[in-house]
Amino acid sequence: MSELEPIFVFGGGGHGRSVSEVIRRQGRYRIACVLDDDEQRKPSLAEAPWVGGKTGLENLRARGITAGFVAIGNNADREAVTALVQAAGLTLVTAIDPAAVVAHDASLGAGTVLMPFSLAGAAVRVGNGVILNTSGTVDHDCTVGDFVHIGVGAHLSGGCRVDARSFIGGGAVLGRPVTIGERAIVGAGAAVIHDVADAVVVAGVPAREVSSSP
C-alpha cells in the first residue's frame, strides 16, 4: 500500500472535525497538522498536531506539506483563508466521503467537500470551496458557484443555479430550475419556486424575501 499524502486542515471547530473525518475515510491523505487561530480548539484536534493559525501557513512547505483543506463553515471566512493558502503557494484538495455519490461527469472544484450521503448528479458543476453537507443533493445539470454552503438535507432539483457565496439552509428545497443569486441566504426548510436575487434572505413555504443578507 502506498504512503498517504500528508496534508494540513485549517479549522479545528465542529466543521473542521467533520471534514477531517471525511478525509480519513477517503483514504487518500494523512492529516499531518491542523491550523486554527483559536487556541482554545487545540484539545479537540485528536492525533494531528496544532501548528498555529494563519501565520503558520507560511511554514508548511518547510515541513514537506504542500496541500491541504480549509475546513471553515462560514463562506466569507473560508474564502479569505483560501486566498492566504494560495498566496503561500499551497494547493487545496477535494474531500469526498466514501458514502457520497458523484456522477462520472460531475465536476468538483478544489477545496470542496462532499459529506456522507450527499449527491452530485449527472453533469453537475460545483465550484471551489463548496460545502455539500450531509445528505444534501445537487441533481442533474445544476451549477454551484464558489464558496457556497448547501446545508444538511437540502435538495436542489435538476437545472438549478446557485451563485457564489450563497447559503442554502438545512432541509431547504429548490423545487424547480431556479437561480439563487450571489450571497443570498435560503432559510432552513424553505421551498424555493422562484429565482432569488443577489444578497437577499428568503424563507418560508413558498419562500419569500424577508430581508437583505449581511
Side-chain angles (χ1 to χ4, degrees):
M1 180 178 179
S2 60
E3 184 176 354
L4 301 180
E5 178 184 354
I7 65 170
F8 69 88
V9 170
F10 195 109
H15 180 64
R17 296 194 302 274
S18 296
V19 170
S20 294
E21 183 59 28
V22 169
I23 291 170
R24 293 186 184 98
R25 284 163 51 86
Q26 190 172 1
R28 295 182 58 186
Y29 308 107
R30 172 177 62 87
I31 301 174
C33 63
V34 177
L35 300 93
D36 197 296
D37 287 323
D38 186 353
E39 294 192 33
Q40 298 301 314
R41 291 173 172 166
K42 289 169 64 175
S44 70
L45 302 181
E47 75 279 4
W50 177 82
V51 295
K54 296 183 183 73
T55 56
L57 291 168
E58 300 173 358
N59 303 319
L60 292 182
R61 295 184 68 86
R63 295 171 175 265
I65 302 169
T66 60
F69 196 93
V70 179
I72 300 174
N74 179 274
N75 290 344
D77 292 345
R78 187 166 68 259
E79 182 176 15
V81 174
T82 294
L84 294 176
V85 167
Q86 294 169 336
L90 304 166
T91 59
L92 292 172
V93 302
T94 300
I96 304 172
D97 192 272
V101 176
V102 182
H104 80 280
D105 57 351
S107 173
L108 306 177
T112 285
V113 59
L114 270 62
M115 292 292 194
F117 311 114
S118 60
L119 164 72
V124 159
R125 297 292 177 262
V126 176
N128 300 318
V130 172
I131 298 170
L132 179 51
N133 225 319
T134 306
S135 298
T137 62
V138 178
D139 218 320
H140 65 89
D141 300 297
C142 285
T143 300
V144 178
D146 294 342
F147 303 105
V148 166
H149 186 159
I150 297 172
V152 173
H155 301 292
L156 278 61
S157 297
C160 292
R161 190 182 89 197
V162 180
D163 289 342
R165 306 171 190 84
S166 291
F167 177 82
I168 311 298
V173 176
L174 278 56
R176 60 178 66 170
V178 295
T179 295
I180 307 298
E182 186 170 344
R183 293 189 301 108
I185 296 174
V186 175
V192 181
I193 57 174
H194 300 292
D195 292 350
V196 175
D198 293 349
V200 300
V201 180
V202 299
V205 180
R208 300 182 185 278
E209 181 176 344
V210 296
S211 65
S212 298
S213 63

